[in-house]
Amino acid sequence: MNSLALNQFLALLYREVLENRNLFIGAPAVLAVLLFVFTAWIVSMAPEQELATAIEYLSVIFDGLSPVDMASIFMIPAIPFMMMLYFCGLIYLLNALYQDRKDMSVFFWQSMPVSNAKTVLSKVVTIGLVAPVFYVAILFVVYLIAVLWLTLLGFSYGVQVAGLGYMFLAAVASLALVYLSAFVTSLWLLPSVGWLLLFSAFAKRTPILWAAGVFILIGFLEDFIFGSQYLANWVESRSNPNQYFIYEFSDVTDRLLSYDMLFGVLVGSILLIGAIFMRRFID
Amino acid sequence: MLQLKNLLLRNRFSVLLATLTVYLLVLVVEGAITGREARVVDFENPFFDLTMRDFQDFRDARIEDNESDFSSADPDVL
């Protein structure tokens, strides 16, 4: 890829972030504020003695332990953010190739020297690589504020808080797990990504109804006509979050190079190619 | 080849149909080769085999039970 093509692609990614900053930045920021307010409310109601004991307990647990080994614990507070990422990703993918056709801006974008393949690929890269960066950044700010807050509280109660530094390092290490989980998820669910983009490029209105309706219809017809359930079984075999969540760094290569992952990428690519050809019809 | 391409890319519905056909073909072939079995909507249960004949047997059994109850009952009560 030459520098012009690279700059074009980076510009496409920048466009996606600008047009969807509510989904990629606003939504996790609001979630972080809500969680922070809820936590502050809980802490304000707890007795001081119990708070001091809890802070000391946290400090002792993490003190001296390897942050990488303890990182998986911090996947638990990241779950609401991961769920928010999936929800916002669903909305984003359904509107990705539909919204610009709806507001006619597609004519402007198609007048640019950018191919349909690059446009569709930029959507996939945005949801797989770019969007998780913002979620991870907001999680980092949340962890930083939480640790500073706990440290100040610990000082005010006269508790040893040296272990909170290790806890913060473990939380930072967990951000890599969160990012890797988001990336692996986008590859694992590439058939779903392709399906949503295909119907986002196809539907003249309500792409979500087309995407869900055609899926249900095909599953029903397969069962009714052929008596088989390959489609339903395919979806069922790939819908367990444990298949794409990364809890340890050593899991990454096993997940990325597994047969199911590679076959899913193949099937997702078929749907993405369909979405690229579908992008020709913008009437 | 060109005719086939023109046919597939004629309109949005032909593209959708072609894409979904290839998608399903790949899924079905892979499912058949790897031997994936349907598990989601499988209502078969060895402990509960529901057939219409069972309903008929059940009805016959109920009638027989009722007849035996009435035959053994005290005629004064009836």
Short mmCIF file of all heavy atoms in Angstrom, two decimals, chain A residues 39-63:
data_model
loop_
_atom_site.label_atom_id
_atom_site.label_comp_id
_atom_site.label_asym_id
_atom_site.label_seq_id
_atom_site.Cartn_x
_atom_site.Cartn_y
_atom_site.Cartn_z
N THR A 39 -20.91 4.31 42.15
CA THR A 39 -19.90 3.86 43.12
C THR A 39 -19.73 4.87 44.25
O THR A 39 -19.64 4.49 45.44
CB THR A 39 -18.54 3.64 42.41
OG1 THR A 39 -18.75 2.86 41.26
CG2 THR A 39 -17.56 2.94 43.32
N ALA A 40 -19.71 6.17 43.89
CA ALA A 40 -19.57 7.20 44.91
C ALA A 40 -20.75 7.17 45.88
O ALA A 40 -20.58 7.36 47.10
CB ALA A 40 -19.46 8.56 44.24
N TRP A 41 -21.93 6.91 45.34
CA TRP A 41 -23.13 6.83 46.18
C TRP A 41 -23.04 5.66 47.17
O TRP A 41 -23.35 5.78 48.34
CB TRP A 41 -24.36 6.69 45.27
CG TRP A 41 -25.65 6.56 46.00
CD1 TRP A 41 -26.22 7.47 46.84
CD2 TRP A 41 -26.54 5.44 45.97
NE1 TRP A 41 -27.41 7.01 47.33
CE2 TRP A 41 -27.64 5.76 46.81
CE3 TRP A 41 -26.54 4.21 45.31
CZ2 TRP A 41 -28.70 4.89 47.01
CZ3 TRP A 41 -27.60 3.35 45.50
CH2 TRP A 41 -28.66 3.69 46.36
N ILE A 42 -22.54 4.50 46.64
CA ILE A 42 -22.39 3.32 47.49
C ILE A 42 -21.35 3.59 48.60
O ILE A 42 -21.58 3.29 49.78
CB ILE A 42 -21.94 2.09 46.65
CG1 ILE A 42 -23.03 1.71 45.66
CG2 ILE A 42 -21.57 0.91 47.53
CD1 ILE A 42 -24.23 1.05 46.25
N VAL A 43 -20.21 4.19 48.17
CA VAL A 43 -19.12 4.44 49.13
C VAL A 43 -19.57 5.44 50.20
O VAL A 43 -19.23 5.30 51.39
CB VAL A 43 -17.88 4.96 48.37
CG1 VAL A 43 -16.84 5.52 49.34
CG2 VAL A 43 -17.26 3.83 47.55
N SER A 44 -20.35 6.45 49.79
CA SER A 44 -20.79 7.46 50.76
C SER A 44 -21.71 6.86 51.82
O SER A 44 -21.83 7.41 52.92
CB SER A 44 -21.50 8.60 50.04
OG SER A 44 -22.72 8.13 49.50
N MET A 45 -22.36 5.74 51.48
CA MET A 45 -23.28 5.12 52.45
C MET A 45 -22.58 4.13 53.37
O MET A 45 -23.13 3.74 54.40
CB MET A 45 -24.42 4.42 51.71
CG MET A 45 -25.36 5.38 50.99
SD MET A 45 -26.58 4.55 50.03
CE MET A 45 -27.54 3.75 51.28
N ALA A 46 -21.36 3.69 52.97
CA ALA A 46 -20.66 2.67 53.78
C ALA A 46 -20.01 3.32 55.01
O ALA A 46 -19.53 4.46 54.93
CB ALA A 46 -19.60 2.00 52.92
N PRO A 47 -19.94 2.60 56.11
CA PRO A 47 -19.27 3.11 57.30
C PRO A 47 -17.76 3.27 57.05
O PRO A 47 -17.17 2.49 56.29
CB PRO A 47 -19.52 2.03 58.36
CG PRO A 47 -20.63 1.21 57.83
CD PRO A 47 -20.60 1.31 56.36
N GLU A 48 -17.15 4.25 57.70
CA GLU A 48 -15.74 4.56 57.46
C GLU A 48 -14.83 3.38 57.81
O GLU A 48 -13.85 3.10 57.12
CB GLU A 48 -15.33 5.78 58.27
CG GLU A 48 -15.85 7.08 57.68
CD GLU A 48 -15.26 8.30 58.38
OE1 GLU A 48 -14.42 8.11 59.27
OE2 GLU A 48 -15.65 9.42 58.03
N GLN A 49 -15.16 2.70 58.92
CA GLN A 49 -14.31 1.60 59.37
C GLN A 49 -14.27 0.49 58.32
O GLN A 49 -13.20 -0.06 58.02
CB GLN A 49 -14.86 1.06 60.71
CG GLN A 49 -14.00 -0.03 61.33
CD GLN A 49 -12.56 0.43 61.57
OE1 GLN A 49 -12.33 1.56 62.02
NE2 GLN A 49 -11.60 -0.42 61.25
N GLU A 50 -15.45 0.18 57.75
CA GLU A 50 -15.50 -0.87 56.72
C GLU A 50 -14.75 -0.45 55.47
O GLU A 50 -14.10 -1.26 54.81
CB GLU A 50 -16.95 -1.20 56.38
CG GLU A 50 -17.66 -1.99 57.47
CD GLU A 50 -19.06 -2.39 57.06
OE1 GLU A 50 -19.38 -2.32 55.86
OE2 GLU A 50 -19.83 -2.77 57.95
N LEU A 51 -14.85 0.84 55.12
CA LEU A 51 -14.12 1.34 53.96
C LEU A 51 -12.61 1.21 54.16
O LEU A 51 -11.88 0.77 53.26
CB LEU A 51 -14.46 2.81 53.72
CG LEU A 51 -15.60 3.11 52.74
CD1 LEU A 51 -15.81 4.61 52.65
CD2 LEU A 51 -15.26 2.54 51.37
N ALA A 52 -12.15 1.60 55.34
CA ALA A 52 -10.72 1.52 55.64
C ALA A 52 -10.25 0.07 55.56
O ALA A 52 -9.18 -0.23 54.99
CB ALA A 52 -10.45 2.10 57.02
N THR A 53 -11.05 -0.84 56.10
CA THR A 53 -10.70 -2.27 56.04
C THR A 53 -10.65 -2.75 54.60
O THR A 53 -9.74 -3.51 54.21
CB THR A 53 -11.73 -3.10 56.84
OG1 THR A 53 -11.89 -2.51 58.12
CG2 THR A 53 -11.29 -4.54 56.97
N ALA A 54 -11.63 -2.33 53.79
CA ALA A 54 -11.69 -2.78 52.39
C ALA A 54 -10.47 -2.27 51.61
O ALA A 54 -9.87 -3.02 50.82
CB ALA A 54 -12.97 -2.28 51.74
N ILE A 55 -10.09 -1.01 51.83
CA ILE A 55 -8.93 -0.46 51.12
C ILE A 55 -7.65 -1.19 51.52
O ILE A 55 -6.81 -1.54 50.68
CB ILE A 55 -8.82 1.06 51.39
CG1 ILE A 55 -9.99 1.79 50.74
CG2 ILE A 55 -7.50 1.62 50.85
CD1 ILE A 55 -10.12 3.24 51.15
N GLU A 56 -7.51 -1.44 52.81
CA GLU A 56 -6.33 -2.16 53.29
C GLU A 56 -6.29 -3.57 52.72
O GLU A 56 -5.24 -4.09 52.33
CB GLU A 56 -6.34 -2.20 54.82
CG GLU A 56 -5.00 -2.66 55.40
CD GLU A 56 -4.95 -2.45 56.90
OE1 GLU A 56 -6.02 -2.25 57.51
OE2 GLU A 56 -3.84 -2.49 57.45
N TYR A 57 -7.46 -4.20 52.65
CA TYR A 57 -7.58 -5.56 52.12
C TYR A 57 -7.15 -5.58 50.64
O TYR A 57 -6.38 -6.45 50.21
CB TYR A 57 -9.02 -6.02 52.27
CG TYR A 57 -9.26 -7.46 51.92
CD1 TYR A 57 -8.67 -8.47 52.68
CD2 TYR A 57 -10.08 -7.81 50.86
CE1 TYR A 57 -8.90 -9.80 52.35
CE2 TYR A 57 -10.31 -9.14 50.53
CZ TYR A 57 -9.71 -10.12 51.29
OH TYR A 57 -9.92 -11.43 50.97
N LEU A 58 -7.64 -4.59 49.86
CA LEU A 58 -7.24 -4.50 48.44
C LEU A 58 -5.73 -4.32 48.31
O LEU A 58 -5.09 -4.94 47.46
CB LEU A 58 -7.95 -3.31 47.78
CG LEU A 58 -9.38 -3.52 47.27
CD1 LEU A 58 -9.94 -2.21 46.74
CD2 LEU A 58 -9.40 -4.57 46.18
N SER A 59 -5.19 -3.44 49.15
CA SER A 59 -3.76 -3.17 49.10
C SER A 59 -2.93 -4.41 49.40
O SER A 59 -1.93 -4.69 48.73
CB SER A 59 -3.44 -2.05 50.09
OG SER A 59 -2.08 -1.77 50.06
N VAL A 60 -3.38 -5.18 50.39
CA VAL A 60 -2.64 -6.39 50.78
C VAL A 60 -2.74 -7.46 49.70
O VAL A 60 -1.76 -8.15 49.39
CB VAL A 60 -3.19 -6.92 52.13
CG1 VAL A 60 -2.64 -8.31 52.42
CG2 VAL A 60 -2.82 -5.97 53.25
N ILE A 61 -3.92 -7.60 49.09
CA ILE A 61 -4.12 -8.65 48.07
C ILE A 61 -3.16 -8.46 46.90
O ILE A 61 -2.53 -9.41 46.43
CB ILE A 61 -5.58 -8.61 47.56
CG1 ILE A 61 -6.51 -9.25 48.58
CG2 ILE A 61 -5.71 -9.36 46.23
CD1 ILE A 61 -7.97 -9.22 48.16
N PHE A 62 -3.04 -7.22 46.39
CA PHE A 62 -2.26 -6.98 45.17
C PHE A 62 -0.79 -6.72 45.45
O PHE A 62 0.01 -6.71 44.50
CB PHE A 62 -2.85 -5.77 44.42
CG PHE A 62 -4.15 -6.09 43.71
CD1 PHE A 62 -5.35 -5.86 44.33
CD2 PHE A 62 -4.14 -6.63 42.45
CE1 PHE A 62 -6.54 -6.15 43.69
CE2 PHE A 62 -5.32 -6.94 41.80
CZ PHE A 62 -6.54 -6.69 42.43
N ASP A 63 -0.42 -6.48 46.69
CA ASP A 63 0.95 -6.07 47.00
C ASP A 63 1.96 -7.14 46.60
O ASP A 63 1.87 -8.30 47.05
CB ASP A 63 1.06 -5.79 48.51
CG ASP A 63 2.31 -4.97 48.81
OD1 ASP A 63 2.91 -4.45 47.85
OD2 ASP A 63 2.67 -4.86 49.99
#
